[in-house]
């Protein structure tokens, strides 16, 4: 198992464009989480999935953000009409059922909105 | 979700033992205490988790007093490569509620000097 992977690792986009990030969790992990992290801060929870069901969305996740996990495997996070304030590291993590607090993180996707 | 308080930064020297204390006065009965390590430009890495008393693994020890209102991460004989940000989290273990919805604070930046 190669761990959690994220693609792309870096994304530079112009304000107003849409971007989509992908996360591939550890294969036997049922839970998948998205976080956002800005420089000097800890990761902020955005949303999480139990298999294909999205269980909760943070108020940080405005209507420009949408996340999916269609078959309970990989997940995508889309940001529409990007703004400069969206510039951050977007982290994905996964965990096993029963070990939800032991999360395995991917390397993150660094988004820069110009 | 219980709030945690950690020192913003700590300095140490190679070969020393480092103890980082986290306060979580509002910890709930179902909450576990989890510590993560994060290097620059990487996702956090799970270090250790505990509920009460002492837990030890190959990387660290976690000491939790009886009242569970604080916890101490102990890193034995640190090296330069242990320079990182360390996060203390308190998370619900109930899979039907908030399990895995982790709240990271700003962490403790540990700098190990030669």
């Amino acid at each position: 198992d190669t761990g959690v992977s994220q693609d792309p690792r870096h994304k530079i986009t112009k304000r107003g464009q849409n971007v989509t990030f992908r996360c591939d969790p550890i294969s036997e992990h049922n839970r998948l989480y998205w976080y956002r992290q800005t420089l000097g801060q800890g990761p902020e929870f955005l949303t999480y999935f139990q298999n294909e069901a999205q269980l909760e969305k943070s108020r940080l996740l405005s209507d420009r953000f949408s996340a999916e996990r269609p078959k309970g495997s990989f997940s995508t996070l889309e940001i529409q009409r990007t703004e400069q304030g969206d510039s951050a590291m977007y982290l994905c993590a996964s965990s096993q059922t029963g070990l939800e607090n032991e999360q395995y993180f991917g390397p993150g996707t660094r988004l820069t909105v110009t | 979700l219980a709030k945690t308080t950690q020192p913003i930064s700590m300095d140490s020297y190679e070969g020393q033992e480092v103890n980082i204390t986290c306060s979580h006065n509002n910890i709930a009965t179902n909450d576990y205490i989890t510590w993560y390590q994060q290097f620059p430009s990487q996702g956090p890495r799970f270090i250790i988790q505990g509920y009460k008393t002492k837990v030890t693994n190959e990387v660290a020890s976690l000491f939790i007093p009886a009242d569970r209102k604080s916890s101490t991460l102990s890193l034995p004989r640190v090296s330069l490569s242990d320079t990182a940000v360390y996060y203390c989290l308190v998370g619900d273990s109930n899979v039907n509620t908030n399990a895995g919805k982790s709240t990271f604070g700003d962490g403790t930046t540990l700098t190990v000097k030669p």
Side-chain angles (χ1 to χ4, degrees):
Chain A
D1 192 347
T2 57
V4 178
S5 61
Q6 293 187 244
D7 183 70
R9 294 291 307 276
H10 304 274
K11 178 71 176 179
I12 300 174
T13 190
K14 293 185 177 180
R15 187 174 52 191
Q17 298 294 305
N18 300 340
V19 295
T20 300
F21 310 140
R22 176 179 170 124
C23 170
D24 286 89
I26 293 172
S27 57
E28 63 267 26
H29 286 185
N30 294 325
R31 287 216 170 182
L32 185 149
Y33 314 82
W34 285 99
Y35 294 85
R36 181 175 69 186
Q37 186 174 26
T38 54
L39 198 62
Q41 308 291 319
E44 298 173 294
F45 169 83
L46 293 178
T47 188
Y48 74 121
F49 294 83
Q50 172 75 26
N51 298 315
E52 65 275 9
Q54 189 172 16
L55 297 185
E56 187 166 344
K57 293 170 59 174
S58 163
R59 67 179 185 280
L60 295 174
L61 218 62
S62 74
D63 56 6
R64 296 185 297 104
F65 289 71
S66 62
E68 295 183 343
R69 194 183 183 196
K71 298 183 179 179
S73 56
F74 73 92
S75 175
T76 59
L77 177 69
E78 181 183 14
I79 308 174
Q80 296 182 328
R81 304 181 304 281
T82 53
E83 302 172 356
Q84 286 188 320
D86 297 331
S87 295
M89 175 77 84
Y90 289 85
L91 294 162
C92 174
S94 67
S95 67
Q96 290 183 341
T97 300
L99 292 172
E100 285 77 11
N101 292 309
E102 184 175 336
Q103 298 180 16
Y104 291 83
F105 283 79
T109 295
R110 181 166 296 283
L111 173 67
T112 301
V113 181
T114 62
Chain B
L1 298 174
K3 179 179 171 58
T4 60
T5 302
Q6 305 174 233
I8 294 174
S9 64
M10 294 181 68
D11 290 343
S12 183
Y13 291 92
E14 284 191 289
Q16 289 188 333
E17 178 184 78
V18 171
N19 296 310
I20 306 174
T21 297
C22 177
S23 298
H24 28 80
N25 291 318
N26 297 323
I27 191 169
T29 303
N30 287 336
D31 288 342
Y32 276 75
I33 300 156
T34 310
W35 285 80
Y36 288 85
Q37 174 193 55
Q38 186 176 28
F39 298 113
S41 299
Q42 294 186 24
R45 181 177 76 104
F46 172 86
I47 300 175
I48 198 167
Q49 182 177 193
Y51 184 79
K52 61 180 178 181
T53 63
K54 177 183 175 182
V55 179
T56 298
N57 62 21
E58 65 278 6
V59 176
S61 294
L62 179 60
F63 298 92
I64 306 169
D67 66 6
R68 305 201 323 124
K69 292 183 182 299
S70 67
S71 59
T72 299
L73 174 73
S74 181
L75 304 172
R77 298 179 299 282
V78 294
S79 64
L80 296 177
S81 63
D82 292 316
T83 293
V85 179
Y86 292 83
Y87 295 99
C88 163
L89 283 73
V90 174
D92 193 334
S93 63
N94 187 333
V95 69
N96 294 318
T97 57
N98 291 320
K101 180 187 170 184
S102 298
T103 300
F104 286 77
D106 292 336
T108 297
T109 299
L110 172 65
T111 302
V112 180
K113 302 175 181 179

